[in-house]
Amino acid sequence: MRVEQIAVFLENKSGRLAEITAILADNDINIRALSVADTADFGILRLIVNDVEKAKSILQDGGFTVGKTDVLAVEVVDKTGGLAKVLKCLHSAGINVEYMYAFVNKSGENAVLIFRFEKMDEAIEVLSKDGFTLLSGEQICAL
Amino acid sequence: MYWEQKKECLPRPQLEQLQLERLKNTLRRVGTTVPFYRNTFSKLKVDAGKVKSLDDLRRLPFTTKQDLRENYPYGLFAIPLRDVVRIHSSSGTTGMATVVGYSRKDIVNWSNLVARILCGAGVTADDMIQIAFGYGLFTGGFGLHYGAERLGASVIPISAGNTKRQIQIMQDFKTTALVCTPSYALKMADVMMDMGINPNGLSLRFGLFGAEPWSEAMRIEINERLGIRATDNYGLSEIMGPGVAGECQECNGLHVNEDHFLIEILDPETLEPVKPGEVGELIITTLTKEAFPVIRYRTRDLTRLLPEPCPCGRTFVRMHRMMGRSDDMLIIKGVNVFPTQIEGILFDIEGTEPHYRLIVERENNEDKLTVMVEVVESIFFDAMKKQRAFMDMIKKRMASELGIGVDVKLVEERTLERFDGKGDRVIDKREL
Ligand SMILES: [Zn+2]
């Protein structure tokens, strides 16, 4: 139940993020979720999109450095309490979160938490065992 | 494989004795027959007859490219012109050419030393050698040609240029060894692709490359694309041409033909010897040249010695492939830094030819070096912690290998201009 995510290296120059979203829009690629981690010097943009391969290749053609990683998407009903429950489950299993971000689906009822772990397989096992809903890439795009 | 095992494996004490005798002989000759050396020796109160050890070399004057130019054309020749059988010349860019001459015996020695290099690289009398160096005043073509004939190999003296014809001949004549510059070898690989010729279908096994700086990354690419074993060889026309040094089949540094050349590695600023294994400028004194002996020639080429004995058994010292020009050297916080050192570290880390730029600034009277590195996919991480750890790792390695702290700035791919010359990769903003 892994979801593919693309990551893009960004220098902190203004307008780069807008450029990326424009390139993706021009090529009919939908961004389902997005997060930016940045420091004073550079940033890392992470995206969940409906067509990973196409997005990667058009961004590479556009001169960007693009990587591809697997992440997990956990669906929870109530945003705040939901997150706490997931984190508690992971913590008691001794699984560290490398990074995470979230988005709310169109109806606003459910939230989707995107996680990256060092130990992906263990995380899948622990979360499934505790009854959390893991979404596939297709399911996210269908939301 | 040795061409002259006894000489190439001479125990160091005997080798040094031989070098000393030959040095004294050379000094005696230039001190009497070459006005330039006679004058500088007397100015510096050097008595060639009183040289007692190889260390005394350090009291002798240097010879520079400028000295060669000022004595254009025949001022530094040590024998009468009637005894000179060959002239070569290196073309200066602005008509500042230098001229070198060879006696009959010089040509014999030269051929023999090039035969050593070829043999050390694995080439034998059974090989078919295609020499794609220019023939003419440049020493590359004729130097390799005479050495290959001396070895007994079959020579195809095709000279430089016309790449398609080179490849056609390589295919038809079943060339087994290619002699050219490393960049030309890569060009040949490109043209082969265009022509639809698979290099693996050719008979090519060896590549002997020289006459320009190159890198380990280039060697790997050439080996893979042409299916050969590439070795490096070094020489310069002011000293002799090819044949000064070459790699054995270990492909790990160039053995210097020390029975004919005495080398020193000096700090380009202080002109004092560097510590063993440290980078410095290569200085060469010829020990057997008759027509054009040179004392302590400043090559401006940077290298370092590899002091460990070579598994091949040769006792001749090895030097690292040329690491740049001393003119490119930066002095940062009083420490000598060579752009090629930084390139080497990045290559090690990235595994491919790095794209980088060096910015040198002075802030509050302190030098600051920033290394800008393009982030390619192999060094890009989706987790910030990992990306930062990677940056710190570069900083640590640079600090430990260069001896100064550096700043590392990661930049987007293809944002640094592509340069051919290494010197252009440095932006020195200090106003000194
Ligand atoms: Zn060796």
Side-chain angles (χ1 to χ4, degrees):
Chain A
M1 269 314 188
R2 291 162 179 241
V3 175
E4 284 187 319
Q5 164 199 267
I6 58 172
V8 186
F9 178 82
L10 290 178
E11 258 176 77
N12 281 352
K13 291 188 287 199
S14 62
R16 292 302 265 169
L17 189 55
E19 246 176 89
I20 290 173
T21 49
I23 290 175
L24 294 175
D26 288 347
N27 287 276
D28 294 323
I29 289 169
N30 284 323
I31 300 171
R32 298 301 311 175
L34 169 156
S35 102
V36 182
D38 62 356
T39 65
D41 300 317
F42 65 90
I44 299 168
L45 169 69
R46 303 169 192 126
L47 298 163
I48 306 282
V49 293
N50 59 345
D51 190 340
V52 173
E53 292 307 327
K54 188 176 167 194
K56 188 175 178 205
S57 81
I58 57 167
L59 288 174
Q60 279 172 335
D61 291 346
F64 290 94
T65 306
V66 188
K68 205 170 74 175
T69 3
D70 282 351
V71 291
L72 294 186
V74 184
E75 191 178 35
V76 289
V77 183
D78 172 53
K79 207 176 158 188
T80 0
L83 173 60
K85 257 165 51 192
V86 177
L87 289 177
K88 195 177 157 213
C89 159
L90 293 166
H91 180 73
S92 55
I95 292 169
N96 288 321
V97 177
E98 276 201 313
Y99 58 81
M100 70 148 299
Y101 52 102
F103 68 99
V104 182
N105 72 2
K106 281 178 193 142
S107 66
E109 287 164 18
N110 290 349
V112 178
L113 310 173
I114 306 288
F115 285 101
R116 169 71 203 177
F117 306 102
E118 286 271 13
K119 307 169 185 169
M120 290 289 280
D121 290 326
E122 284 181 37
I124 293 173
E125 206 187 305
V126 167
L127 290 168
S128 311
K129 210 172 68 193
D130 273 24
F132 290 100
T133 312
L134 296 179
L135 301 181
S136 67
E138 295 84 58
Q139 285 172 309
I140 291 182
C141 294
L143 285 179
Chain B
M1 267 194 301
Y2 308 104
W3 179 241
E4 298 170 292
Q5 180 164 11
K6 259 204 179 130
K7 291 178 182 168
E8 293 173 61
C9 301
L10 202 61
R12 293 296 304 184
Q14 275 165 264
L15 175 62
E16 281 161 24
Q17 189 54 42
L18 179 70
Q19 287 181 317
L20 180 60
E21 280 163 28
R22 289 180 166 177
L23 174 65
K24 288 202 282 200
N25 202 338
T26 299
L27 292 175
R28 205 159 33 232
R29 278 192 306 117
V30 299
T32 51
T33 58
V34 183
F36 168 77
Y37 286 115
R38 198 169 51 228
N39 295 341
T40 46
F41 285 2
S42 82
K43 224 186 289 170
L44 292 168
K45 298 196 169 54
V46 172
D47 186 346
K50 283 195 179 147
V51 168
K52 292 280 177 281
S53 77
L54 289 176
D55 286 339
D56 292 339
L57 186 67
R58 288 183 50 194
R59 296 189 290 114
L60 299 175
F62 292 99
T63 309
T64 63
K65 183 99 178 165
Q66 190 55 31
D67 295 326
L68 266 48
R69 286 177 182 140
E70 283 168 9
N71 287 281
Y72 178 90
Y74 300 136
L76 292 176
F77 281 28
I79 58 172
L81 275 179
R82 102 182 83 82
D83 296 328
V84 171
V85 300
R86 178 94 66 81
I87 298 286
H88 278 288
S89 171
S90 77
S91 55
T93 41
T94 51
M96 300 274 269
T98 55
V99 178
V100 292
Y102 301 78
S103 69
R104 194 166 298 283
K105 200 177 155 207
D106 288 336
I107 296 285
V108 170
N109 277 336
W110 187 14
S111 311
N112 201 49
L113 292 180
V114 173
R116 268 191 201 168
I117 307 286
L118 289 164
C119 181
V123 179
T124 69
D126 295 331
D127 278 294
M128 179 70 68
I129 305 185
Q130 182 163 339
I131 297 177
F133 270 146
Y135 281 67
L137 286 174
F138 168 58
T139 48
F142 278 102
L144 262 305
H145 183 104
Y146 274 61
E149 283 194 353
R150 178 83 181 82
L151 182 71
S154 316
V155 181
I156 307 169
I158 190 166
S159 193
N162 199 342
T163 312
K164 278 192 179 159
R165 184 158 165 268
Q166 295 266 2
I167 293 165
Q168 197 59 54
I169 282 182
M170 189 179 283
Q171 192 171 35
D172 297 346
F173 294 10
K174 301 192 166 45
T175 302
T176 59
L178 172 66
V179 171
C180 61
T181 60
S183 56
Y184 193 61
L186 282 176
K187 183 174 177 192
M188 279 192 175
D190 289 340
V191 176
M192 278 180 202
M193 262 184 14
D194 294 343
M195 293 168 74
I197 290 176
N198 179 359
N200 295 325
L202 301 173
S203 310
L204 207 57
R205 295 168 59 213
F206 304 105
L208 286 103
F209 304 120
E212 70 181 15
W214 55 319
S215 65
E216 195 57 29
M218 271 176 88
R219 190 212 303 264
I220 292 166
E221 189 179 348
I222 292 169
N223 284 352
E224 281 174 1
R225 294 184 62 190
L226 290 179
I228 60 170
R229 186 173 56 214
T231 50
D232 191 11
N233 68 86
Y234 174 81
L236 62 174
S237 68
E238 295 86 340
I239 293 301
M240 184 175 75
V244 174
E247 277 185 326
C248 63
Q249 294 182 61
E250 299 291 326
C251 294
N252 183 18
L254 299 90
H255 287 285
V256 179
N257 279 321
E258 286 186 281
D259 51 345
H260 293 265
F261 306 101
L262 194 52
I263 65 161
E264 304 165 80
I265 308 289
L266 305 184
D267 182 313
E269 275 299 302
T270 64
L271 296 174
E272 291 296 316
V274 300
K275 292 193 195 98
E278 276 184 8
V279 181
E281 181 179 327
L282 175 67
I283 312 289
I284 306 178
T285 300
T286 65
L287 295 175
T288 51
K289 289 272 295 294
E290 289 185 337
F292 197 82
V294 190
I295 308 300
R296 303 192 87 193
Y297 184 68
R298 290 196 59 181
T299 66
R300 304 280 169 182
D301 284 322
L302 296 171
T303 184
R304 63 187 185 84
L305 296 183
L306 308 170
E308 311 79 32
C310 184
C312 77
R314 285 176 180 79
T315 51
F316 292 160
V317 72
R318 282 172 303 153
M319 57 185 184
H320 191 280
R321 80 151 54 78
M322 292 305 128
M323 301 169 80
R325 302 279 297 163
S326 61
D327 317 297
D328 295 341
M329 185 180 79
L330 296 163
I331 302 175
I332 300 169
K333 296 181 190 172
V335 176
N336 297 351
V337 174
F338 306 106
T340 40
Q341 285 177 288
I342 292 170
E343 183 168 324
I345 296 169
L346 292 174
F347 171 71
D348 238 28
I349 294 171
E350 294 185 38
T352 61
E353 203 74 60
H355 292 294
Y356 66 97
R357 183 181 292 162
L358 308 181
I359 314 278
V360 191
E361 292 158 298
R362 180 160 288 183
E363 281 177 4
N364 305 323
N365 293 318
E366 207 183 353
D367 291 340
K368 187 178 149 208
L369 171 65
T370 306
V371 183
M372 295 173 80
V373 185
E374 281 189 14
V375 176
V376 292
E377 197 174 337
S378 63
I379 57 168
F380 173 47
F381 302 90
D382 58 312
M384 186 54 85
K385 214 163 118 189
K386 285 185 182 159
Q387 194 70 60
R388 297 204 64 88
F390 174 79
M391 262 173 82
D392 290 341
M393 187 264 288
I394 299 184
K395 283 186 198 170
K396 265 195 197 131
R397 273 201 61 177
M398 299 253 172
S400 84
E401 290 185 34
L402 303 177
I404 52 162
V406 303
D407 251 0
V408 173
K409 184 166 165 42
L410 300 178
V411 299
E412 287 174 19
E413 249 180 289
R414 284 170 275 192
T415 50
L416 302 178
E417 281 168 63
R418 297 285 181 265
F419 295 112
D420 286 332
K422 308 260 183 250
D424 301 334
R425 286 185 157 154
V426 179
I427 298 173
D428 198 335
K429 295 181 178 168
R430 291 175 295 188
E431 285 164 14
L432 304 178

